[in-house]
Amino acid sequence: MRIEPALLSYASLACLALSTHRLRRDAAFARLPTVATMRAFAVVLLILAAWRAVHDFGPYQGPVAFIGMVSIAGLPLVLLLSRWPRGALVTGLGASAVALGMLIPLG
Amino acid sequence: MSKAASNETPGVRQSMAWIHGWLGLLAGWILFAMFLTGTASYFRPEITRWMQPEIDLHPVTAATAADTAVAHLQKVAPTAEQWFITLPDARTTATRIFIRERPNPDPNAKPAPRRPERRLDPATGEEVTARDTRGGEHFYRFHFQLQIPHPWGRWLAGLCAMAMLAAIISGVITHKRIFVDFFTLRWSKGQRSWLDAHNVSAVIALPFHAMITYTGLITLVAMYMPWPIQANYKDPATFETAVFGAEPDAEASGRLAALTPVAPLIAKASEEWAGGRPATMVVRNPNDATATVTLYQSAKDRLNARGRSIVFSGVDGRRLSASPPPDPAAETSGVMLGLHMGSFAGPVLRLTYFLLGLAGTAMVGTGLMLWTVKRKRPGAAPFFGIRLAERLNVGAIACLPAGMAAFLLANRLLPVTLPARGDVEVSIMFWTWFGLAALACVRPIRRAWTETLAIAAVAFLALPLVNALTTDRGLIRSVVSGDWLFVAFDLAMLATGALLGFGAWRAAQISSRSARKRRAAERPVNPLREAADAH
C-alpha cells in the first residue's frame, strides 16, 4: 500500500500545526520543542514525503500523488485538532514513526 | 485604505466577497451534484460491477481476451462492417463488443436495428448476460450532462464550472487569513463554524479544486470555444485527422481473405508503445481483402488520457500506419484530461482522488450552508430568498445522496426481467431525489434537515443488508471468499450511512437547542422573581 507519502505528510502538517502560537498556548503542549525546531521537522518530513512520492509513483505521477496526499492528510488532522488536540500530536508522532519505519528496508 | 474611501467604493476584497457569494450560490446546487456524482465516478467500473453481481469473471491477458472475442465475432457476425472490441483490464473484467452491420445496399430498405453492446467472458468468449443497468456510467454521464438533452446539459455544466473557477479565484482573494487559519476548525459556533469548515475544506485541498475545475472545463473546451478550430480548419474532420491520425476507410472489396491472428498484433503494438497495452481494437471489413485492425492504446498507465493508435493490415498483419506522435498542445490537453479523470491512478491514488472529491463536495456544501446562515437575522422571519435557498440546500445536500442510495437499492430490488430496467433505476433516483426535496418543503426547516438526512442514512445503511438478502455476495460471504470489491463497497455504504446519520444527529441537536432558546425567550417573566433578583 504505497501510503508512506500520506503518513509523512500527516506528520509534517502535525509539526506545522504545533508550531502555530494559538495551539501552543494550550497547556497540553507546554513541553514541546521550539517553534523553529517544529518548523524544521515539518520541512524535513515534507521533503521526505515528496521524495517518497516520486520514488513510489514515478516522476510523472509522483507530484500528483504528493500534492494529493498532502491535501488528504490535512483533513483528518484538522478534524482531530478541533476535537482532541493532544491526539493530533500522538497520531502525528505515530504516523512519522510508522512511515520512517517503512523507509528503512529501502536503505 | 482610509475609512472614508472604503465607504464610497468597496475594496477589492469586498467586491470579490460579493462575487464569490453570488456565483457560489447560483451555481452551488448544481456544483454540489456535479462534485458528488463526479467523485462517485472515480469508481465507475467498480460500481458497474457491483450493480451486476451475476458477473464474476477472472482477468486474463489482453491477447487471450482479443482471441476469444474474435472467435466469438467470427461465429456471430463474420460479414459485419466493423467490430469494436473493448478489452478487459484489472478493473473492467468483461470484454465488451459492439457490431456495426453493413448498410443494406437497397436505398429503400429499412436500416437494420442497432445491435446493443454485449459482454463476453474473456477466458472463453461466451456471452455473459446480466441485469440491465446503467451502472457507474449513470453517475459519470450525469456529472457533465446533468440528464439534460444534448448540448444543453454540457453547456449548463460548463457554465457552472466557469462560475466555480471564478469562485475559487475570488475566494482566495477574499480569504484574509489563509495561513493563520490553516488548521482552524471550531465546532458549535454557528456561522463561525460553517465559515471554518468552508475555509478548511477549500484551502487544504485547494490545488485539487483548482486543478479539477480547470481541467474539467478543458475536457469540453472544443465545445465551449470552437472558434480557434473553426478559424484554422475549414472542415472539422481535417482537425481530427491532424490530431488523432487518419482512420482507414477502405470500402470492402468483396474478395474473401482470412483474418490474421490478432494476438501477434497486440504484442507488436505493445512493443512499439514501450510496454503500453491496448484498450480497444477495431476491426474493419473483417474477412475481406481490405481488412484492417486498429489498436488504441490504454490510458491506464500514463498521465495522457489520449492514447496513440496503430493500424495493421487485417490480412497479413503488416503495420500500415499510426497516429502522429502528439505535439505539445495535444499532449497538454491529453494530460489535462488524464488528470481530471484520474484514469492512470492505481488503487492508492484513486482513493486519494476520491477523498479529495469528497473534500470538494464538502466545500460546496458548507459554502451553501454559510450563505443562508450568514444572512439569517435572529428573531426576524427570513425573507423569501433565504427560505428558497434553505430549501434548495436541503434538496441538494440531503436529498441527492438519498436519490443515489435509491438508485442502488432499485438495482437490487427491481425484478431482474423488468423491461427497460436500466431506465427505471435512473427514474427512481430522480423521483426519490426531487420527491424527497418537495416533501421536505412542507416540514419546518430544522425538522426537514433531520428527517431527510436520516432517510438518506437509513437508505445507505440498508444497502449491505439488501445486498446480502438479494444476492449471494453478502458481506460475510465476501469476506470469507476474499471478494474485496464487494467488501469495500459494503463498508463504503456503511461509512456513508454513518456520516449522514451523524449529520442528522447534529441537525436534531441544533434543532432542539434553538427550540429551547426560543421557548426561553418567549417565557413570561415572573414579576416576583424579578423583584427578588433586584434586591
Side-chain angles (χ1 to χ4, degrees):
Chain A
M1 283 296 274
R2 300 175 290 177
I3 57 164
E4 294 97 316
L7 291 174
L8 289 163
S9 310
Y10 183 89
S12 165
L13 289 174
C15 286
L16 210 57
L18 294 171
S19 71
T20 58
H21 296 285
R22 206 174 51 79
L23 266 168
R24 293 177 75 90
R25 281 201 297 272
D26 193 327
F29 303 116
R31 289 188 304 159
L32 280 178
T34 60
V35 169
T37 320
M38 292 310 279
R39 286 204 181 137
F41 274 145
V43 171
V44 170
L45 285 166
L46 207 58
I47 291 172
L48 270 179
W51 165 74
R52 188 63 216 205
V54 172
H55 177 276
D56 279 2
F57 292 92
Y60 302 110
Q61 294 187 21
V64 180
F66 172 63
I67 297 173
M69 287 185 175
V70 172
S71 306
I72 275 310
L75 295 170
L77 177 70
V78 170
L79 284 173
L80 213 54
L81 277 173
S82 70
R83 281 294 189 178
W84 187 38
R86 204 186 272 258
L89 176 66
V90 175
T91 50
L93 283 175
S96 51
V98 171
L100 291 174
M102 285 165 140
L103 293 185
I104 291 170
L106 249 168
Chain B
M1 192 191 294
S2 75
K3 203 171 178 193
S6 71
N7 280 346
E8 282 159 24
T9 52
V12 177
R13 262 201 181 120
Q14 280 111 305
S15 324
M16 288 293 160
W18 187 87
I19 292 176
H20 183 80
W22 284 102
L23 277 183
L25 180 80
L26 293 178
W29 297 295
I30 295 176
L31 281 172
F32 184 87
M34 285 170 71
F35 258 102
L36 194 58
T37 51
T39 303
S41 304
Y42 283 128
F43 291 107
R44 171 159 55 133
E46 286 79 9
I47 293 174
T48 307
R49 271 162 69 191
W50 185 87
M51 293 181 81
Q52 293 187 317
E54 303 87 349
I55 300 182
D56 189 13
L57 302 169
H58 298 284
V60 297
T61 61
T64 312
D67 274 340
T68 54
V70 167
H72 174 85
L73 284 159
Q74 288 287 22
K75 263 188 285 172
V76 298
T79 57
E81 187 176 59
Q82 284 184 26
W83 298 339
F84 295 86
I85 303 168
T86 309
L87 298 168
D89 55 41
R91 299 178 65 200
T92 314
T93 47
T95 310
R96 285 174 294 156
I97 56 165
F98 174 74
I99 299 161
R100 184 185 286 165
E101 294 290 355
R102 213 166 278 292
N104 196 328
D106 175 8
N108 297 325
K110 268 196 205 155
R114 214 178 115 98
R115 292 211 205 182
E117 185 184 87
R118 293 193 201 145
R119 261 157 307 171
L120 307 178
D121 180 342
T124 62
E126 297 286 317
E127 193 171 335
V128 285
T129 49
R131 60 188 71 192
D132 173 33
T133 177
R134 301 256 182 96
E137 196 69 17
H138 169 59
F139 293 140
Y140 172 70
R141 292 277 153 196
F142 179 81
H143 164 66
F144 62 97
Q145 298 184 152
L146 304 171
Q147 206 74 11
I148 298 172
H150 189 73
W152 306 111
R154 290 184 182 203
W155 266 109
L156 185 57
L159 282 176
C160 289
M162 289 173 212
M164 178 80 217
L165 195 61
I168 288 177
I169 295 166
S170 56
V172 169
I173 299 172
T174 309
H175 191 10
K176 276 179 279 196
R177 296 152 54 91
I178 287 193
F179 294 105
V180 182
D181 282 349
F182 201 85
F183 298 107
T184 310
L185 179 62
R186 285 157 288 191
W187 291 77
S188 308
K189 288 203 162 66
Q191 186 186 333
R192 186 73 246 175
S193 296
W194 286 115
L195 181 61
D196 280 349
H198 185 56
N199 285 344
V200 163
S201 54
V203 170
I204 289 188
L206 186 62
F208 173 79
H209 302 327
M211 177 279 281
I212 211 72
T213 309
Y214 185 72
T215 54
L217 274 170
I218 290 294
T219 55
L220 292 179
V221 73
M223 174 181 173
Y224 301 138
M225 294 169 78
W227 309 288
I229 296 173
Q230 282 172 7
N232 286 295
Y233 297 90
K234 282 209 180 76
D235 176 13
T238 353
F239 167 73
E240 276 167 27
T241 310
V243 178
F244 304 115
E247 304 255 318
D249 53 359
E251 291 282 320
S253 65
R255 278 178 290 123
L256 287 183
L259 189 70
T260 182
V262 289
L265 306 185
I266 288 180
K268 268 194 228 172
S270 197
E271 197 185 316
E272 186 170 333
W273 293 329
R277 46 183 306 281
T280 312
M281 181 161 84
V282 179
V283 182
R284 285 181 182 77
N285 303 327
N287 304 315
D288 187 272
T290 60
T292 59
V293 178
T294 311
L295 289 172
Y296 293 89
Q297 190 183 2
S298 163
K300 292 283 152 74
D301 42 10
R302 41 214 290 291
L303 279 187
N304 188 339
R306 291 203 186 92
R308 299 167 63 176
S309 61
I310 306 177
V311 185
F312 294 98
S313 156
V315 181
D316 52 14
R318 258 180 315 123
R319 180 184 181 284
L320 297 177
S321 66
S323 61
D327 60 13
E331 186 87 34
T332 307
S333 87
V335 168
M336 283 194 180
L337 183 61
L339 277 177
H340 189 83
M341 307 209 296
S343 45
F344 60 86
V348 173
L349 221 45
R350 179 160 316 102
L351 190 64
T352 307
Y353 258 98
F354 178 77
L355 294 172
L356 286 166
L358 287 185
T361 315
M363 167 184 71
V364 178
T366 50
L368 285 170
M369 294 301 296
L370 184 60
W371 196 92
T372 55
V373 172
K374 205 171 166 180
R375 282 164 179 78
K376 258 185 162 173
R377 294 281 163 264
F383 62 87
F384 174 73
I386 291 184
R387 279 188 312 203
L388 178 68
E390 275 181 332
R391 296 299 169 177
L392 287 167
N393 283 356
V394 175
I397 298 170
C399 300
L400 169 60
M404 290 168 82
F407 176 66
L408 298 174
L409 281 172
N411 176 265
R412 286 294 187 263
L413 295 174
L414 289 176
V416 171
T417 50
L418 190 76
R421 194 175 183 284
D423 297 336
V424 176
E425 282 176 12
V426 171
S427 339
I428 286 179
M429 166 168 152
F430 287 104
W431 277 105
T432 311
W433 178 8
F434 297 139
L436 199 58
L439 274 179
C441 286
V442 299
R443 304 287 293 150
I445 185 71
R446 287 289 173 201
R447 307 279 318 162
W449 273 114
T450 312
E451 287 160 8
T452 47
L453 284 169
I455 289 171
V458 169
F460 273 103
L461 293 174
L463 269 166
L465 186 68
V466 172
N467 176 48
L469 293 177
T470 54
T471 70
D472 54 359
R473 295 174 82 175
L475 183 55
I476 296 166
R477 201 177 290 195
S478 303
V479 171
V480 173
S481 63
D483 185 357
W484 300 118
L485 171 71
F486 271 62
V487 173
F489 205 97
D490 276 355
L491 293 181
M493 293 305 108
L494 291 174
T496 312
L499 189 67
L500 289 161
F502 175 73
W505 175 67
R506 291 287 297 182
Q509 267 191 328
I510 293 170
S511 165
S512 64
R513 202 185 308 144
S514 65
R516 259 203 312 279
K517 257 192 215 159
R518 220 177 17 251
R519 272 200 302 278
E522 283 163 4
R523 197 177 298 144
V525 182
N526 184 339
L528 278 179
R529 180 131 168 232
E530 206 174 31
D533 283 347
H535 286 290

